[in-house]
Amino acid sequence: MAFTIRNLKIRDQILLVTLPPLFALLFAVGLFFYAYWSATNTERAATQTRESVIRGESFLRHNTEASMAIRAYIFSEKKNAVASYDKAMTEGRADLIALRDLESDSPQQLKFVLQIQAEFDELQKEWALPLIDRVREGEKIDIPSNLADGQDRMTIIRSQVLKLQEEDERNSEDKLLTAEKLIRRTLIVGVGLAALLGGLLVFLTGLVTRQIVMPVRLLIRAAEEVAQGDLSPLLPPPVQNEFGVLSRSFSEMTTALRREREEIASLNRFSEAVTQSTSEIEVYDLLLHSLKERFQPRQVIILQLKHSQSYLEVVASLVPLPEEVAAWPVIEERHDCKAVRTGRPMVVNDVRGESLCPSKFVLPSEGSYYCGPLIASGIIIGSVRIEAAKGLWTPERQRLLESYLNGAASALSNLRLLDRMKQQANIDVLTGLYNRRFLEDYARKIFAIAERREQPAGVIMLDLDHFKSFNDVYGHEVGDRILRQFAKTVTGAMRETNLTARYGGEEFVVILPDTSTKSCALVAERIRQAVSSMVVSSNTDKPLPQLTVSIGVASFPSNGHTLDEVIQASDRALYESKRMGRNRVTAAAVSESAAR
């Protein structure tokens, strides 16, 4: 019973409480009308009985008057006595007709009335009217005998009338008793029904109230728990009514909130991880892993926009690319990628029924794909294509994916900005070479590697000859041009593995990993010759004199065990070149400490 009520709809539960009282009320009203009808019938029967008695007495009185009129006519032979007889007979017949109408509902009583009427008619026909005719004709009659005969007939009629009245009174009393019993029974049934109804109403009201209040309290408590951050609250048991619908909706809401919180937590973890990344490759790996975890794609392809060449190159993919594009994994024109061209994502939920990307680069043959731009600070730096199941890209999933892409793009932009800042901090603005600070950091790493591997490392120190006089005569603009051209000449005369830095003013230093003093001297000589052939325009009719450079060479461990010792050794060799007439290469002598 409880389970059935709990599954009823709220409207039906309310009807369960209200219908029994309504039916009981209708039943009580029916009983009332039945009692009223019975009382009315009883009253009508009593009224009919009284009228019947009155009519019976009136009939007896008129019958007696008719008998007295005949008696008076016999003795006096007066005509007015006959008139009185006729009047009494007429009124007597009217009484009989009224009695017959009053007793028409009772066959037994009506039978008595008809017998009385038959006796009355027979009295008139066989006694009264013949007797009047005989007196009127002057015939001699036996008065005592005729009067006795009429009296006997009258007695029979009277007895029948009295019997009719007794029967009416007895029926009236029976009806009154029956009505009293009915009213008493109706009262008992009504009181019992009211008590039963009251108890049932209290029981059903309490039961229905519990069924309504309990889920309401549970839902209120669940709402409070959700407000406090608990997304797994205790909900009402599943039922087939409005509370069941509300409970399921609440459960779906908390499930969506849990999923959203998990997605936000996952997105926060991703954002924190990419923020702490130190390279673009690390950002790409994190993006691939996160997209695989959140969307279960078939393929993820990350493309980087090469602004100088204006093409998109694949820098990472979840699944290895097909062999036909693996050697040259690029979209040759940036405008072929619709996401890059428009700056908006391109979503295809069914590749078999929708238009595809114009680039046609490794498109899936089934399912769906999403191609979105990587935008940082309003600049497009690449795009990401994700292949997945058909119809996957709902607006909610698109928004979540865009959050991941925006986080990755922001991290990539920050890394590139950091690289530029590092370059600006380590690069000499005038010559484009590394500065002294970067040189010292780099050289210490090279010397540490050389010491660990027991390999040599060379240092070349260069100084432009008479550079101050060039500045004084031709101006600083020409001097700057000379320094820039000198930097290009030096770097062009060496291997890419060697590093050139501006040490200060017109002094430059070259670090040569895995190079001895002798080899350094060969490189230095090649640089000296290249500088001697260098031509710098003066922007005037007067050409610049030939530029030369003085060079000092030293190496680890021949000339020292630390960077400072080797730098000092090369610097001494440089000044030896200047002392001996400039435009030459001088190798530092092996130091005693290095020899030991």
Side-chain angles (χ1 to χ4, degrees):
M1 179 67 174
F3 176 80
T4 304
I5 292 178
R6 186 170 63 246
N7 281 279
L8 290 176
K9 296 183 182 297
I10 297 177
R11 179 190 62 186
D12 298 334
Q13 292 183 8
I14 295 174
L15 288 176
L16 182 64
V17 175
T18 56
L19 283 180
L22 180 62
F23 287 141
L25 179 62
L26 293 176
F27 183 71
V29 171
L31 284 177
F32 169 76
F33 278 109
Y34 180 69
Y36 176 77
W37 176 78
S38 299
T40 302
N41 286 343
T42 302
E43 183 179 359
R44 185 169 62 251
T47 301
Q48 289 179 351
T49 300
R50 288 194 298 272
E51 291 181 359
S52 179
V53 170
I54 292 171
R55 285 292 184 178
E57 292 176 351
S58 176
F59 172 73
L60 291 176
R61 186 175 63 254
H62 291 143
N63 199 24
T64 302
E65 289 176 356
S67 176
M68 294 298 294
I70 292 175
R71 185 185 296 273
Y73 181 70
I74 292 174
F75 286 108
S76 63
E77 296 183 2
K78 294 181 178 180
K79 292 182 178 180
N80 56 356
V82 175
S84 297
Y85 168 76
D86 292 337
K87 179 181 178 182
M89 291 300 293
T90 302
E91 292 177 353
R93 286 192 181 89
D95 290 334
L96 285 174
I97 293 172
L99 278 174
R100 188 174 59 194
D101 294 337
L102 289 172
E103 302 297 346
S104 60
D105 295 335
S106 177
Q108 184 66 28
Q109 303 297 92
L110 181 60
K111 181 179 179 180
F112 279 117
V113 174
L114 294 177
Q115 289 178 355
I116 292 171
Q117 187 174 6
E119 291 289 339
F120 180 74
D121 292 339
E122 186 177 352
L123 174 66
Q124 306 307 317
K125 185 184 298 183
E126 295 182 2
W127 178 73
L129 292 179
L131 185 59
I132 291 172
D133 291 339
R134 289 169 61 190
V135 173
R136 185 180 292 120
E137 293 174 359
E139 183 180 344
K140 294 289 186 179
I141 60 174
D142 185 0
I143 294 176
S145 175
N146 285 307
L147 290 177
D149 184 30
Q151 188 63 37
D152 292 339
R153 292 178 182 272
M154 291 291 292
T155 300
I156 293 171
I157 293 174
R158 177 180 293 276
S159 65
Q160 289 179 340
V161 171
L162 292 176
K163 188 175 181 181
L164 174 64
Q165 290 178 342
E166 289 176 359
E167 190 68 24
D168 285 338
E169 290 177 354
R170 185 169 55 254
N171 290 338
S172 178
E173 290 177 358
D174 292 341
K175 289 181 180 180
L176 286 173
L177 290 175
T178 302
E180 289 178 358
K181 290 180 181 179
L182 176 62
I183 292 173
R184 191 181 304 111
R185 196 175 297 119
T186 301
L187 182 61
I188 294 171
V189 171
V191 172
L193 181 63
L196 178 63
L197 177 63
L200 180 62
L201 185 61
V202 170
F203 172 74
L204 290 177
T205 301
L207 183 61
V208 172
T209 301
R210 284 195 300 273
Q211 300 303 323
I212 294 176
V213 170
M214 182 188 69
V216 170
R217 287 178 176 174
L218 288 175
L219 287 172
I220 292 174
R221 186 183 305 165
E224 293 173 349
E225 292 176 358
V226 170
Q228 294 173 0
D230 182 7
L231 297 182
S232 298
L234 177 64
L235 295 174
V239 291
Q240 302 300 320
N241 59 16
E242 291 84 352
F243 285 118
V245 174
L246 185 58
S247 179
R248 287 191 293 273
S249 299
F250 201 95
S251 177
E252 292 172 358
M253 180 192 70
T254 55
T255 301
L257 288 175
R258 278 198 306 273
R259 183 171 59 250
E260 183 176 354
R261 185 164 69 177
E262 291 173 358
E263 291 175 349
I264 292 174
S266 177
L267 184 59
N268 289 337
R269 290 193 298 271
F270 171 76
S271 300
E272 183 179 356
V274 296
T275 302
Q276 297 173 354
S277 298
T278 58
S279 67
E280 294 189 13
I281 295 298
E282 187 177 355
V283 174
Y284 296 144
D285 289 341
L286 286 170
L287 182 59
L288 288 176
H289 175 75
S290 298
L291 295 182
K292 178 181 179 182
E293 179 183 359
R294 299 309 301 172
F295 301 100
Q296 290 81 44
R298 300 191 184 110
Q299 172 67 297
V300 179
I301 301 175
I302 303 176
L303 299 105
Q304 185 183 72
L305 177 61
K306 301 291 185 178
H307 286 280
S308 57
Q309 293 85 4
S310 187
Y311 65 82
L312 289 160
E313 181 181 12
V314 176
V315 292
S317 64
L318 185 63
V319 178
L321 296 176
E323 293 182 0
E324 59 268 20
V325 297
W328 180 241
V330 299
I331 298 176
E332 297 182 2
E333 293 292 336
R334 59 180 294 175
H335 295 294
D336 287 343
C337 179
K338 190 174 181 179
V340 172
R341 183 175 71 249
T342 63
R344 294 190 298 270
M346 180 178 182
V347 182
V348 177
N349 270 309
D350 185 2
V351 299
R352 295 182 177 179
E354 302 179 40
S355 58
L356 305 179
C357 180
S359 69
K360 308 296 183 184
F361 182 80
V362 196
L363 291 177
S365 59
E366 61 179 0
S368 65
Y369 71 87
Y370 175 102
C371 186
L374 289 172
I375 304 176
S377 302
I379 300 174
I380 298 177
I381 61 176
S383 64
V384 176
R385 177 180 293 165
I386 305 178
E387 301 173 13
K390 177 181 176 181
L392 177 70
W393 302 112
T394 62
E396 293 77 13
R397 290 195 178 96
Q398 291 184 44
R399 286 193 291 269
L400 179 62
L401 175 57
E402 289 170 6
S403 299
Y404 279 97
L405 299 186
N406 291 337
S410 178
L412 291 171
S413 177
N414 291 337
L415 285 173
R416 294 179 182 182
L417 178 61
L418 183 61
D419 287 341
R420 285 196 297 271
M421 293 176 65
K422 286 181 179 179
Q423 289 180 1
Q424 291 173 0
N426 296 325
I427 298 297
D428 178 65
V429 178
L430 178 62
T431 62
L433 300 176
Y434 289 104
N435 57 25
R436 181 172 180 172
R437 182 176 61 183
F438 182 82
L439 168 74
E440 292 176 348
D441 292 340
Y442 176 78
R444 285 190 175 87
K445 295 177 183 178
I446 294 298
F447 273 57
I449 294 172
E451 183 178 9
R452 186 167 63 251
R453 296 179 179 178
E454 297 182 352
Q455 295 174 346
V459 175
I460 301 175
M461 184 167 281
L462 309 96
D463 186 274
L464 282 168
D465 297 330
H466 306 294
F467 179 74
K468 186 175 183 303
S469 62
F470 279 95
N471 262 342
D472 294 340
V473 174
Y474 297 98
H476 289 286
E477 182 180 351
V478 173
D480 291 344
R481 192 181 302 123
I482 291 172
L483 292 175
R484 286 194 290 269
Q485 186 64 37
F486 177 75
K488 291 180 181 178
T489 302
V490 172
T491 55
M494 299 184 309
R495 293 180 302 177
E496 292 182 357
T497 56
N498 301 333
L499 180 137
T500 305
R502 186 181 181 185
Y503 200 66
E506 66 273 17
E507 288 186 335
F508 295 81
V509 173
V510 179
I511 303 296
L512 301 92
D514 195 18
T515 307
S516 64
T517 304
K518 184 179 180 179
S519 298
C520 286
L522 294 175
V523 174
E525 180 60 26
R526 188 164 61 247
I527 294 173
R528 188 193 67 78
Q529 293 176 3
V531 172
S532 298
S533 303
M534 185 176 68
V535 177
V536 180
S537 173
S538 64
N539 288 338
T540 63
D541 295 337
K542 184 179 179 180
L544 292 176
Q546 182 63 49
L547 293 169
T548 60
V549 62
S550 297
I551 304 174
V553 177
S555 69
F556 166 87
S558 299
N559 303 111
H561 292 284
T562 66
L563 174 64
D564 293 337
E565 292 176 352
V566 177
I567 290 290
Q568 290 174 5
S570 64
D571 188 53
R572 287 192 297 270
L574 170 65
Y575 278 96
E576 184 65 20
S577 294
K578 286 186 177 291
R579 190 182 64 80
M580 293 179 65
R582 296 182 173 83
N583 191 23
R584 65 183 62 241
V585 177
T586 302
V590 177
S591 64
E592 295 180 0
S593 61
R596 289 197 296 269

